[in-house]
Amino acid sequence: MEKELIGNAIKASFFKLDPRVMVKNPIMFIVEIGFALTLLLAFIPSAFGSSEVNVWFNLTVSLILLFTVLFANFAEALAEGRGMAQANSLKNSKKEMTANKLKPNGEIEKTDSASLRKGDIVVVSQGEFIPGDGEIISGLASVDESAITGESAPVIKEAGGDFNSVTGGTKVVSDQIKVRITSEPGESFLDKMISLVEGAQRQKTPNEIALNTVLTSLTLIFMIVVVTLPLFTNYLGFELEIPVLIALLVCLIPTTIGGLLSAIGIAGMDRVTQFNVIAMSGKAVEAAGDINTIILDKTGTITFGNRMASEFIPAGNHAMQDFAQWTAISSLEDETPEGRSVLELLKKKQLSYQTDIAIGGTFIEFKAETRMSGMDLADGSVVRKGAVDAVKKWVISQGGTIPSDLDKKTDEISKAGGTPLAVAMNDQIFGLIYLKDTVKPGMKERFDKLRSMGIKTVMCTGDNPLTAATIAKEAGVDEFIAECKPEDKIEVIKYEQSQGKLVAMTGDGTNDAPALAQADVGLAMNSGTAAAKEAANMVDLDSNPTKIIEVVSIGKQLLMTRGALTTFSIANDIAKYFAIIPAMFMLAIPEMNVLNIMRLDSPISAVLSALIFNAIIIPVLIPLAMKGVSYKPMSSNALLSRNLLIYGLGGVLVPFIGIKGIDVVLAMIL
């Protein structure tokens, strides 16, 4: 509720009075027509046979109807304004940059980022901004994505695998990478984000269209009632003024929800954006509210995606401290995720080691032929780390022997779903490093929450059944599918959909793209590949797969908010009927006064009170429409009962109190 945001929304409220804009909202368009007619009656009463005495009444009704329309426009403009503010902050990230374009002859050419085309290769060094969306084809770098995600911690991006996607406007904070541009100018992920957040491509969802149809039908029915009403009153011997008929129509039609419906939908998409999730359509947000099953890819989604050291297992008669020493030496200059995780685990387990032993040594990088890496020390000693069978052959070639318990411990690690790495120094194997794809922290608690919401979780992985079962148990998912191929994921989604369920899918790899496209809600990780992000209808900028919980909650909140305000809108019409209908007829039919249960002062004050309440209830409900009704996991029956009690009963009682209060004030003025 910033001053600038409100100011812009007020201005937009008047611009939206354009009939070409208002016609898109039939209910409020009818109110605007009512405003025009009553305004005309106020200045040219004779044109419609109205008496001069009612000029002030006509003008008052006209002003009230104008404010009713303006308040509805303000609600929509305020919701749009929030999206525009978010878009402007994103635009600050989209700036013209100089790109180091790699020419075919190997030379680097300085060029404007706007001139880059799909397929161009650029070199980005430390301190430079990535000039466009792309995929890393060479190198590894730490990338600051705070301009896009809001997260201050840099992320590691490297060539190959599912973490090679980079976004234009992000900054390289270390090392150097070569990037192949994957988007044409104006079609980058940031461009799409800005367009979506601004709401330029927002389309009404199926439920919203259906509700609009119902509300429009009700409006047409009440129009027919009001138009034919003078025929009956003329038969009874009295005439109803046109402004009174217009006031009756405005009070009969569901103006409250009609004025807030668009704002509710826009605000729903904005709330998703506040969680750093970009929704490609309102339909995706709405569908999230009805999700029954979530399919999750394991690698990079439930787990970190890189094998990490989780345990050190000495072999033979070697002590843990000796094993830790040579394990550290073998990993000091190993910049792979596995190598870094070894040093982190040593630190975590408080296992000390001497780094000066490695001074003057030569690091031996991992090679596919040897399947080992390590260090050749200055004193002639040789340290190796790698696949168990490769290290065993190497030790035997050095004249050494294999510890008797090595094979048994290797099998135990493999059966548990892990990967064993052997560490050797000269002719001795000191032990095994237990590598496993580590489950991300807090996953089990998040899946428990999904379960309480009635949502089933299914993990898909290409791992063998034993490894899959281990990860599934640790993560706490309901079901898992092992040795899963891309087509298997689609079949799972189709099967669930054939059971009448709505399915969500989270993933980050190119192999996830077909399933993301098939799912009702496809949530791609921003750290994933361009193909995954293109196939999905939502992108999580934080690359947190459990963000689907927030997305589902917001979807349910959107549906609840729309239902609650529709219930309130229809319920408060009851009070308006009791205010305006007796006022219209009590002079000609005194017996109608028995319906004046609110004991309103006069027919004029009754009509004006109902109209004023009808207008001011819209801005009063704007905060609720923008923030949304709070969501708590509960059954559908409990939710319906709560909705009817709060918004149904409240929708009946609040107007009685409000209209009576306004009538008391008007009675003193009149």
Side-chain angles (χ1 to χ4, degrees), residues 229-503:
L229 192 59
L231 298 176
F232 295 96
T233 56
N234 289 339
Y235 176 77
L236 295 172
F238 67 96
E239 186 178 346
L240 291 174
E241 296 285 344
I242 292 177
V244 175
L245 289 171
I246 291 173
L248 173 64
L249 176 61
V250 170
C251 287
L252 285 173
I253 62 179
T255 50
T256 305
I257 187 61
L260 295 172
L261 190 59
S262 183
I264 293 168
I266 296 171
M269 288 187 69
D270 287 344
R271 281 197 296 277
V272 171
T273 308
Q274 288 165 20
F275 277 97
N276 265 3
V277 174
I278 299 299
M280 304 304 183
S281 69
K283 182 180 179 182
V285 180
E286 191 174 271
D290 290 324
I291 288 299
N292 307 106
T293 305
I294 295 179
I295 311 294
L296 301 111
D297 180 50
K298 187 211 77 172
T299 306
T301 303
I302 292 176
T303 63
F304 282 106
N306 292 317
R307 297 177 305 166
M308 315 287 270
S310 65
E311 193 176 343
F312 298 129
I313 304 172
N317 297 320
H318 295 292
M320 174 64 80
Q321 187 57 53
D322 293 334
F323 174 42
Q325 176 63 53
W326 300 119
T327 298
I329 295 300
S330 70
S331 303
L332 280 178
E333 295 187 31
D334 185 353
E335 290 301 318
T336 64
E338 292 93 336
R340 290 192 296 269
S341 72
V342 167
L343 297 179
E344 289 171 5
L345 185 61
L346 285 168
K347 184 178 179 181
K348 183 179 178 182
K349 289 183 174 291
Q350 298 181 335
L351 291 169
S352 60
Y353 53 88
Q354 297 176 7
T355 58
D356 55 355
I357 296 176
I359 295 174
T362 304
F363 177 68
I364 307 300
E365 292 187 359
F366 176 87
K367 291 183 179 179
E369 309 92 74
T370 63
R371 294 190 295 152
M372 293 187 299
S373 64
M375 182 81 74
D376 290 348
L377 302 179
D379 64 1
S381 298
V382 182
V383 182
R384 289 292 183 266
K385 175 185 70 178
V388 176
D389 59 338
V391 173
K392 283 167 66 176
K393 288 179 182 177
W394 180 80
V395 166
I396 291 172
S397 70
Q398 300 289 314
T401 57
I402 308 302
S404 59
D405 59 348
L406 185 69
D407 289 340
K408 180 184 177 183
K409 290 179 177 179
T410 300
D411 291 340
E412 287 174 353
I413 293 174
S414 299
K415 287 178 181 178
T419 302
L421 286 184
V423 176
M425 194 275 287
N426 293 335
D427 59 353
Q428 298 182 66
I429 294 179
F430 279 74
L432 299 170
I433 302 172
Y434 180 178
L435 295 180
K436 70 174 184 176
D437 195 356
T438 310
V439 174
K440 294 181 179 179
M443 295 298 289
K444 193 174 184 68
E445 292 76 15
R446 304 283 277 177
F447 290 140
D448 287 342
K449 187 173 180 181
L450 281 170
R451 201 171 293 111
S452 70
M453 296 164 69
I455 297 171
K456 181 175 74 174
T457 52
V458 181
M459 181 187 79
C460 291
T461 176
D463 291 336
N464 61 67
L466 189 61
T467 303
T470 303
I471 296 292
K473 184 178 180 180
E474 187 178 344
V477 295
D478 296 313
E479 298 177 10
F480 70 89
I481 300 171
E483 299 175 345
C484 185
K485 298 183 289 295
E487 53 268 29
D488 294 331
K489 295 177 184 178
I490 297 177
E491 289 304 315
V492 172
I493 293 172
K494 286 182 177 178
Y495 173 76
E496 292 289 328
Q497 289 172 333
S498 69
Q499 305 298 307
K501 298 177 181 178
L502 290 183
V503 183

Side-chain angles (χ1 to χ4, degrees), residues 56-57 244 578-587 593 596 598-611 659-660 662-670:
W56 73 269
F57 175 76
V244 175
F578 278 102
I580 202 167
I581 292 176
M584 292 172 60
F585 295 101
M586 68 174 65
L587 292 178
N593 193 47
N596 184 20
M598 283 187 275
R599 294 293 174 246
L600 301 178
D601 185 70
S602 66
I604 289 178
S605 72
V607 172
L608 293 180
S609 297
L611 277 180
I659 291 172
K660 180 60 180 178
I662 296 169
D663 179 73
V664 171
V665 175
L666 288 179
M668 292 188 290
I669 296 173
L670 298 175

Side-chain angles (χ1 to χ4, degrees), residues 50-100:
S50 182
S51 63
E52 299 285 344
V53 180
N54 291 331
V55 168
W56 73 269
F57 175 76
N58 296 347
L59 186 59
T60 304
V61 171
S62 178
L63 287 173
I64 295 171
L65 296 182
L66 172 62
F67 277 102
T68 303
V69 177
L70 286 174
F71 288 150
N73 288 348
F74 177 76
E76 184 176 44
L78 193 61
E80 291 173 345
R82 286 173 63 184
M84 290 295 292
Q86 291 169 334
N88 289 336
S89 67
L90 290 172
K91 284 177 181 176
N92 293 331
S93 305
K94 186 176 182 298
K95 55 190 80 172
E96 291 303 319
M97 291 166 281
T98 301
N100 302 315

Side-chain angles (χ1 to χ4, degrees), residues 130-322:
I130 296 171
D133 291 0
E135 294 178 341
I136 300 174
I137 58 173
S138 175
L140 175 148
S142 180
V143 180
D144 177 6
E145 296 187 322
S146 58
I148 305 296
T149 67
E151 291 292 328
S152 57
V155 294
I156 301 297
K157 298 280 187 172
E158 56 188 323
D162 290 338
F163 296 92
N164 65 342
S165 174
V166 289
T167 306
T170 56
K171 186 179 182 180
V172 173
V173 294
S174 72
D175 303 295
Q176 185 185 82
I177 50 176
K178 285 183 184 178
V179 178
R180 181 186 291 112
I181 300 299
T182 57
S183 64
E184 298 289 348
E187 297 178 0
S188 70
F189 181 58
L190 193 55
D191 288 314
K192 292 176 184 177
M193 283 170 59
I194 292 169
S195 177
L196 290 162
V197 172
E198 284 180 330
Q201 297 180 11
R202 195 189 93 85
Q203 296 178 341
K204 285 184 170 63
T205 63
N207 283 346
E208 195 174 343
I209 292 170
L211 183 55
N212 253 323
T213 303
V214 171
L215 297 178
T216 303
S217 301
L218 283 173
T219 302
L220 289 173
I221 291 168
F222 287 131
M223 278 187 68
I224 295 170
V225 170
V226 171
V227 168
T228 57
L229 192 59
L231 298 176
F232 295 96
T233 56
N234 289 339
Y235 176 77
L236 295 172
F238 67 96
E239 186 178 346
L240 291 174
E241 296 285 344
I242 292 177
V244 175
L245 289 171
I246 291 173
L248 173 64
L249 176 61
V250 170
C251 287
L252 285 173
I253 62 179
T255 50
T256 305
I257 187 61
L260 295 172
L261 190 59
S262 183
I264 293 168
I266 296 171
M269 288 187 69
D270 287 344
R271 281 197 296 277
V272 171
T273 308
Q274 288 165 20
F275 277 97
N276 265 3
V277 174
I278 299 299
M280 304 304 183
S281 69
K283 182 180 179 182
V285 180
E286 191 174 271
D290 290 324
I291 288 299
N292 307 106
T293 305
I294 295 179
I295 311 294
L296 301 111
D297 180 50
K298 187 211 77 172
T299 306
T301 303
I302 292 176
T303 63
F304 282 106
N306 292 317
R307 297 177 305 166
M308 315 287 270
S310 65
E311 193 176 343
F312 298 129
I313 304 172
N317 297 320
H318 295 292
M320 174 64 80
Q321 187 57 53
D322 293 334

